[in-house]
Amino acid sequence: MSVIWRRDIPRVFMVFFVLLMVLDFNITGVPILKDTSNSAKGGIVVVTAFSQVLGAIILMRHYFESAKKRKPGWQVNVYGIVLFLFMVTIGITYGVLHPWYQWVYNSMNVPLDIAGSSLLMVFIVSAGYRLFKIRNIESVLIVVTLTLTILSQVPLGEHLWRDFPLIGNWIETVPTAGAYRGIMITTAFGTIMLIIRSILGIEEGLFRRV
Amino acid sequence: MSDGLLQKFITLERKYIYLVVLIVAAIPTVKPLGIPIVISEETRIFYQEIEKLEPGDVIFLWITTDAGDYPEIGQTSESILQELFARDVKVLMASGRMATSMLFLPNLERISDKFGKVNGVDWMYYGYIPGEEVAMASLAADFHSIPVDVYGTPIEQLSILNNLNTISDVQLFIGALESPDDLAAVVRQIHVTYGAKCLVTVTQKCLSAATPYLGAGQIAGILKGVRGGAEFEQITHRPGLLSQQIDVQVLVQGSVLILGFSYMISDAIIRLKQKKEVEK
């Protein structure tokens, strides 16, 4: 019975939705197909919202257990629980546009998020500094490409020589785009094959927990 | 230059590099340099598509960004929004990330007040819709699938949505996109499914992913990262924070080149000297 619940029923749902979306895309002039497809898409939006709630509950359970067992860093988990309960209470009671909610979000989440992204800058500069090491042909190509790309993107390069942007544009549109197209096409084919194999029951990776 | 100094340079600790970057980034932040930028062809094409819009036309603006990338594409979205409002174009908006909703809404209200626009008549904002690509597909198929806007107002009460049902009813789709997955979703769900004209503003990390779509004509125009946003500010004669960010970008990238070439030359000199000593 558990096999039916864990593997077969999810597979039936998957086949239904895949066929629904494919048929909706390819067949026009069938109102019931369009309406069913639109309803399915709207329903998935609701399911996604619930999955976020589920994720938050699982995270809180982890925090509670960690705090109860006094694992290393449990104080941070307690802080996380308090903040979570505060935000949920304010959000549900007064809405996310309430000044308290906005203040906590803008004063804590936003600066931390921006700081995390900004730290990437220093790591990239540090890595870039050590990248300029000529050992072989590949490293020469890397250095030359890196230099030309940087000079093509900053105004400094344009003022040094007006054709730097053209070179950068060529690097972007010919070798880079070509490589990316190959990756995108193979990824798309791989995804299609995975879905077909999952539908036919050949691939069970998605339902591996049986 | 002595060998000791060169050796110290190539084994320079990271904290000193970080310090250099910090100083270099801080200078234009405190005192903007106003480095002039040349408007690129891509920005001109993007702007020409906006220029084709007539007063009363409706466009859809989809923004997905976290707080970390908001200074890049969020600011660009605000710049685009100002231009659209200046042209009396009506705008429908939605976000694919929660952070966007929190950060964008106060700025949207500020810009709306600046141009004397009215919510529900000249613009409406759905807020954050969970589901990313599915949310985009759902909204594109039926604008009435989300029953309320970000303020909780039923959308039947918003006159802007009169006679608008799907993405085919709007003149243009503009995406402010953070990741290559978002870009692929726009192409799949908007351009390929409905044939809608798409313009995008993307982060620097999406440029490689965007170029194939641009070459194939699936994206009609693109603004590339901070540089594209700054160029758009210049071309619309509303310089703002992105133009200031260009100064930081120039100095930091310049410092990467200077440090990198210095490292390369130092390393080469040391290895040549070591080779000569071995030959002796």
Side-chain angles (χ1 to χ4, degrees):
Chain A
M1 186 62 190
S2 71
V3 170
I4 295 172
W5 274 111
R6 287 172 184 266
R7 191 185 63 194
D8 297 329
I9 292 178
R11 182 173 284 131
V12 167
F13 273 111
M14 188 178 73
V15 170
F16 171 73
F17 282 111
V18 166
L19 286 175
L20 177 65
M21 298 302 161
V22 169
L23 289 172
D24 177 46
F25 183 81
N26 289 289
I27 299 173
T28 55
V30 181
I32 190 168
L33 194 59
K34 180 63 69 182
D35 291 342
T36 310
S37 169
N38 289 349
S39 297
K41 288 172 193 168
I44 292 169
V45 171
V46 176
V47 168
T48 308
F50 271 104
S51 70
Q52 292 183 351
V53 173
L54 181 64
I57 292 170
I58 292 171
L59 185 64
M60 284 304 109
R61 194 177 72 172
H62 170 74
Y63 280 176
F64 270 118
E65 283 174 9
S66 178
K68 204 165 87 170
K69 291 176 185 170
R70 296 288 192 270
K71 289 183 180 173
W74 67 271
Q75 298 91 341
V76 177
N77 293 335
V78 171
Y79 171 72
I81 293 166
V82 169
L83 202 57
F84 174 78
L85 291 173
F86 175 79
M87 297 292 273
V88 164
T89 307
I90 297 293
I92 291 174
T93 311
Y94 300 109
V96 298
L97 300 178
H98 191 273
W100 291 0
Y101 192 101
Q102 296 270 327
W103 182 85
V104 171
Y105 188 88
N106 290 329
S107 63
M108 293 187 194
N109 194 341
V110 171
L112 287 172
D113 204 337
I114 291 177
S117 296
S118 304
L119 282 174
L120 201 59
M121 175 185 74
V122 291
F123 289 126
I124 287 174
V125 171
S126 171
Y129 166 75
R130 282 176 170 75
L131 211 58
F132 281 78
K133 193 186 289 188
I134 306 289
R135 289 283 184 265
N136 46 33
I137 289 291
E138 288 84 8
S139 58
V140 169
L141 283 173
I142 288 172
V143 169
V144 168
T145 309
L146 182 62
T147 307
L148 289 173
T149 305
I150 289 175
L151 287 173
S152 71
Q153 289 186 358
V154 294
L156 175 70
E158 284 164 352
H159 293 303
L160 287 173
W161 182 40
R162 65 174 184 179
D163 286 338
F164 269 131
L166 290 177
I167 297 174
N169 201 39
W170 181 89
I171 292 173
E172 203 175 285
T173 53
V174 180
T176 310
Y180 225 93
R181 279 194 186 101
I183 292 169
M184 283 158 61
I185 290 169
T186 49
T187 305
F189 276 125
T191 306
I192 292 168
M193 289 312 301
L194 178 64
I195 291 171
I196 292 172
R197 287 168 63 88
S198 296
I199 289 172
L200 295 176
I202 303 168
E203 183 73 45
E204 292 199 7
L206 292 175
F207 314 109
R208 183 54 77 178
R209 296 243 183 91
V210 178
Chain B
M1 200 176 277
S2 69
D3 287 357
L5 206 59
L6 288 174
Q7 191 64 36
K8 269 190 186 170
F9 186 72
I10 64 169
T11 54
L12 195 64
E13 284 182 55
R14 283 183 191 174
K15 60 185 177 186
Y16 297 111
I17 299 173
Y18 297 162
L19 185 62
V20 166
V21 171
L22 181 65
I23 293 168
V24 158
I27 294 170
T29 307
V30 172
K31 176 89 176 109
L33 304 173
I35 296 174
I37 54 175
V38 177
I39 311 293
S40 64
E41 191 57 30
E42 287 93 358
T43 304
R44 288 191 198 281
I45 291 170
F46 190 101
Y47 183 66
Q48 281 164 10
E49 293 296 333
I50 303 276
E51 275 188 313
K52 289 177 189 173
L53 296 170
E54 304 277 342
D57 280 350
V58 183
I59 73 111
F60 197 101
L61 176 62
W62 176 272
I63 310 170
T64 56
T65 176
D66 287 322
D69 286 317
Y70 192 85
E72 193 167 356
I73 55 177
Q75 302 276 0
T76 309
S77 304
E78 291 173 24
S79 189
I80 294 169
L81 191 61
Q82 292 191 65
E83 183 63 17
L84 293 170
F85 281 165
R87 294 179 176 275
D88 293 325
V89 172
K90 299 188 180 188
V91 188
L92 308 177
M93 290 165 279
S95 305
R97 301 264 196 286
M98 197 181 307
T100 312
S101 181
M102 300 291 290
L103 293 165
F104 183 65
L105 186 59
N107 293 302
L108 165 62
E109 291 169 344
R110 175 180 54 82
I111 295 170
S112 171
D113 291 340
K114 179 181 167 185
F115 286 88
K117 299 298 178 184
V118 179
N119 175 28
V121 177
D122 302 302
W123 61 270
M124 70 88 64
Y125 181 39
Y126 286 98
Y128 164 60
I129 306 173
E132 300 193 5
E133 184 166 353
V134 175
M136 192 190 297
S138 176
L139 207 52
D142 183 5
F143 287 153
H144 300 263
S145 60
I146 307 295
V148 295
D149 72 352
V150 69
Y151 299 106
T153 308
I155 59 170
E156 287 77 24
Q157 298 178 14
L158 305 176
S159 63
I160 190 174
L161 282 174
N162 291 346
N163 305 318
L164 294 177
N165 295 307
T166 74
I167 206 76
S168 303
D169 298 328
V170 302
Q171 276 66 48
L172 192 61
F173 177 94
I174 300 178
L177 309 168
E178 184 187 46
S179 72
D181 291 337
D182 299 325
L183 185 59
V186 166
V187 172
R188 278 194 292 264
Q189 301 300 337
I190 306 298
H191 178 77
V192 172
T193 307
Y194 297 95
K197 187 186 287 188
C198 298
L199 301 179
V200 297
T201 171
V202 297
T203 54
Q204 202 77 22
K205 58 183 181 254
C206 290
L207 286 185
S208 303
T211 311
Y213 296 123
L214 198 62
Q218 290 166 320
I219 295 172
I222 185 169
L223 292 180
K224 299 178 178 179
V226 172
R227 173 76 190 257
E231 289 175 7
F232 192 81
E233 286 182 350
Q234 298 291 330
I235 206 170
T236 56
H237 307 291
R238 293 189 194 91
L241 290 172
L242 287 165
S243 300
Q244 287 182 20
Q245 285 186 44
I246 281 291
D247 296 344
V248 175
Q249 196 179 59
V250 169
L251 291 186
V252 169
Q253 290 185 343
S255 68
V256 168
L257 284 178
I258 292 169
L259 283 171
F261 275 106
S262 306
Y263 179 90
M264 187 173 72
I265 293 167
S266 307
D267 184 55
I269 292 172
I270 287 175
R271 286 196 293 122
L272 272 171
K273 285 187 179 176
Q274 283 172 350
K275 195 177 168 186
K276 278 183 187 170
E277 278 172 18
V278 166
E279 283 169 0
K280 278 181 192 172

